[in-house]
């Protein structure tokens, strides 16, 4: 895997490009257009685990009509300002079995999602999920 970053103006702002040519604007501050590196990391936790979960549920023939994820992350006050707590909330609709959804999430966060496994070196990663408007709590901590 190779990615490239190129400064795009006189501020601290970059355009990132991957091997496929996909582009993303990276910014240093919230007043600039773009996503900060820590926001990208939080998105990566949500994206990586969501891909795993949907693939697992598909293999289990669990119908999912809609899927969304929200990641809330807390950072250390001192530098380096790593994540200390990350909570992921998945929202699904469909005729899926809640026990199978929970198992898919556990498999992703505990085994398959390389991003969450990197993040859990400094942060406690927790989750919950809502299936058809009923909320379920996940394990207290990813091991």
């Amino acid at each position: 895997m190779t990615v490239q970053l190129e400064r795009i103006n006189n501020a601290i702002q970059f355009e990132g490009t991957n091997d496929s040519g996909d582009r993303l604007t990276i910014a240093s501050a919230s007043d600039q257009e773009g996503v900060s590196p820590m926001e990208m990391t939080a998105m990566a936790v949500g994206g990586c685990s969501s891909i795993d979960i949907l693939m697992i549920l598909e293999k289990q023939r669990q119908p999912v009509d809609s899927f969304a994820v929200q990641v809330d992350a807390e950072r250390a006050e001192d530098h380096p300002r790593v994540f200390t707590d990350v909570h992921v909330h998945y929202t699904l609709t469909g005729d899926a079995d809640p026990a199978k959804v929970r198992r898919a999430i556990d498999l992703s966060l505990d085994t398959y999602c390389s991003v969450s496994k990197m993040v859990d070196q400094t942060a406690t990663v927790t989750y919950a999920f809502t299936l058809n408007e009923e909320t379920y709590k996940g394990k207290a901590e990813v091991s």
Side-chain angles (χ1 to χ4, degrees), residues 88-130:
V88 188
H89 191 112
Y90 306 94
T91 302
L92 306 82
T93 62
D95 195 25
D97 179 342
K100 290 189 177 188
V101 172
R102 179 184 310 282
R103 177 75 176 136
I105 296 169
D106 287 340
L107 281 170
S108 175
L109 294 178
D110 289 344
T111 305
Y112 296 116
C113 178
S114 52
V115 180
S116 71
K117 293 308 290 178
M118 285 190 291
V119 167
D120 80 3
Q121 300 302 302
T122 63
T124 299
V125 179
T126 59
Y127 76 86
F129 68 96
T130 301

Side-chain angles (χ1 to χ4, degrees), residues 33-46:
E33 181 181 326
V35 180
S36 78
M38 292 304 282
E39 289 169 332
M40 283 192 293
T41 303
M43 286 181 193
V45 169

Side-chain angles (χ1 to χ4, degrees), residues 1-119:
M1 169 188 346
T2 301
V3 297
Q4 296 180 342
L5 299 174
E6 185 174 334
R7 190 174 181 182
I8 57 176
N9 58 30
N10 289 330
I12 302 175
Q13 192 174 28
F14 300 88
E15 181 176 75
T17 308
N18 67 5
D19 287 334
S20 301
D22 300 310
R23 299 178 185 284
L24 174 69
T25 302
I26 303 166
S28 66
S30 60
D31 63 339
Q32 295 176 346
E33 181 181 326
V35 180
S36 78
M38 292 304 282
E39 289 169 332
M40 283 192 293
T41 303
M43 286 181 193
V45 169
C48 178
S49 63
S50 294
I51 290 166
D52 291 340
I53 292 161
L54 288 170
M55 289 174 67
I56 292 166
L57 291 173
E58 184 176 292
K59 285 180 184 178
Q60 294 178 341
R61 295 190 171 101
Q62 295 298 299
V64 175
D65 298 326
S66 68
F67 188 98
V69 62
Q70 178 175 320
V71 179
D72 295 303
E74 299 291 326
R75 295 178 66 186
E77 291 189 27
D78 296 325
H79 291 281
R81 296 197 57 227
V82 297
F83 288 141
T84 56
D85 292 286
V86 175
H87 182 75
V88 188
H89 191 112
Y90 306 94
T91 302
L92 306 82
T93 62
D95 195 25
D97 179 342
K100 290 189 177 188
V101 172
R102 179 184 310 282
R103 177 75 176 136
I105 296 169
D106 287 340
L107 281 170
S108 175
L109 294 178
D110 289 344
T111 305
Y112 296 116
C113 178
S114 52
V115 180
S116 71
K117 293 308 290 178
M118 285 190 291
V119 167

